[in-house]
Amino acid sequence: MTRRKLLIGGGVAVGISVLGAAGRDDASRLWWRLPGNHKPRKEGEVDDERARWVAASSANWRRADRPADYRIDRVVIHVTQGSFSSALKVFQDPGHGAAAHYVVGKDGHVAQMIRELDVAYHAGNRGWNERSVGVEHEGFVDRPGDFTPAMYAASARLVAGICGRYDIPVDREHIVGHSEVPDADHTDPGRHWDWDRYLRLVRRESRRGGRA
């Protein structure tokens, strides 16, 4: 067994045991957190070609290298409790402390605010933030009319693409509501969200190859 040290942040040395694949994985994750080691990014680049880029505040997410450092195996469905434009504004506010990767409007428009490779603060649970992609939907949980056919269709195409990119099964274990996240204090998407209809649409888009 060998040991080596990586300097993290302000010169703090962390010892790492190099023990085969597991040790290399731990070391690579720590390397990613070293100052100056950032995966090249293109400003305005999106993961789904149908989405419009609107950057969230950097205070509401953190850089990562998913799925290399954290496996993505869940999609979390949210409802904004407000309008499409207000959700974008709130996620651009550094004082808000939270944001999702995507926002889907009633008219089917999709905004991407955080890259899928990065960790968004959307689920209220650190482990779930690291493993999931968050998708917000315009509207209110107690207004079923807010969940329009255009919204369901656009969201289904988006989520089918996400599931295809990361080999996520299209089922209720892997596509979940915010209320189902452990320790969550939210109720969205609520009882008016039609899960049967939604999963049928996602599966149909998956068969069509719903990737961007």
Side-chain angles (χ1 to χ4, degrees):
M1 178 177 70
T2 61
R3 292 185 66 84
R4 61 191 178 93
K5 290 185 176 180
L6 294 177
L7 294 176
I8 308 295
V12 178
V14 178
I16 299 173
S17 296
V18 182
L19 298 172
R24 287 194 299 273
D25 182 61
D26 290 343
S28 68
R29 292 185 185 190
L30 286 169
W31 175 88
W32 180 248
R33 288 154 178 75
L34 288 174
N37 291 310
H38 298 302
K39 189 171 184 177
R41 315 291 178 98
K42 292 182 181 179
E43 185 175 355
E45 190 171 40
V46 294
D47 296 294
D48 188 297
E49 65 186 11
R50 293 169 290 257
R52 173 172 63 99
W53 178 255
V54 182
S57 169
S58 60
N60 298 331
W61 58 276
R62 64 179 168 85
R63 281 182 178 259
D65 188 23
R66 302 192 309 169
D69 52 0
Y70 302 108
R71 186 177 67 145
I72 300 173
D73 64 2
R74 296 288 190 280
V75 178
V76 179
I77 302 299
H78 302 261
V79 173
T80 62
Q81 291 298 97
S83 68
F84 183 84
S85 60
S86 66
L88 302 188
K89 184 176 181 180
V90 165
F91 292 163
Q92 290 175 310
D93 178 3
H96 184 61
H101 294 90
Y102 294 97
V103 182
V104 182
K106 295 178 190 178
D107 60 1
H109 281 90
V110 178
Q112 181 168 7
M113 304 196 72
I114 300 166
R115 291 291 308 278
E116 291 172 11
L117 56 85
D118 292 320
V119 175
Y121 304 151
H122 68 97
N125 179 305
R126 178 174 178 171
W128 277 67
N129 285 341
E130 291 169 345
R131 74 190 299 180
S132 66
V133 174
V135 182
E136 285 276 3
H137 297 81
E138 178 183 14
F140 293 85
V141 296
D142 58 352
R143 297 198 326 210
D146 287 348
F147 306 142
T148 64
M151 172 186 285
Y152 276 122
S155 180
R157 287 192 297 270
L158 171 65
V159 171
I162 295 167
C163 290
R165 283 190 283 280
Y166 306 108
D167 295 321
I168 301 172
V170 179
D171 58 33
R172 287 287 284 114
E173 181 181 351
H174 297 87
I175 302 174
V176 305
H178 191 185
S179 61
E180 298 170 88
V181 174
D183 304 320
D185 59 357
H186 287 240
T187 61
D188 55 317
R191 64 188 178 91
H192 297 300
W193 183 261
D194 191 337
W195 281 107
D196 290 338
R197 174 185 182 183
Y198 185 61
L199 288 180
R200 282 197 304 270
L201 290 170
V202 177
R203 291 186 183 112
R204 185 178 70 184
E205 292 295 334
S206 295
R207 289 193 296 270
R208 290 176 175 176
R211 299 170 185 250

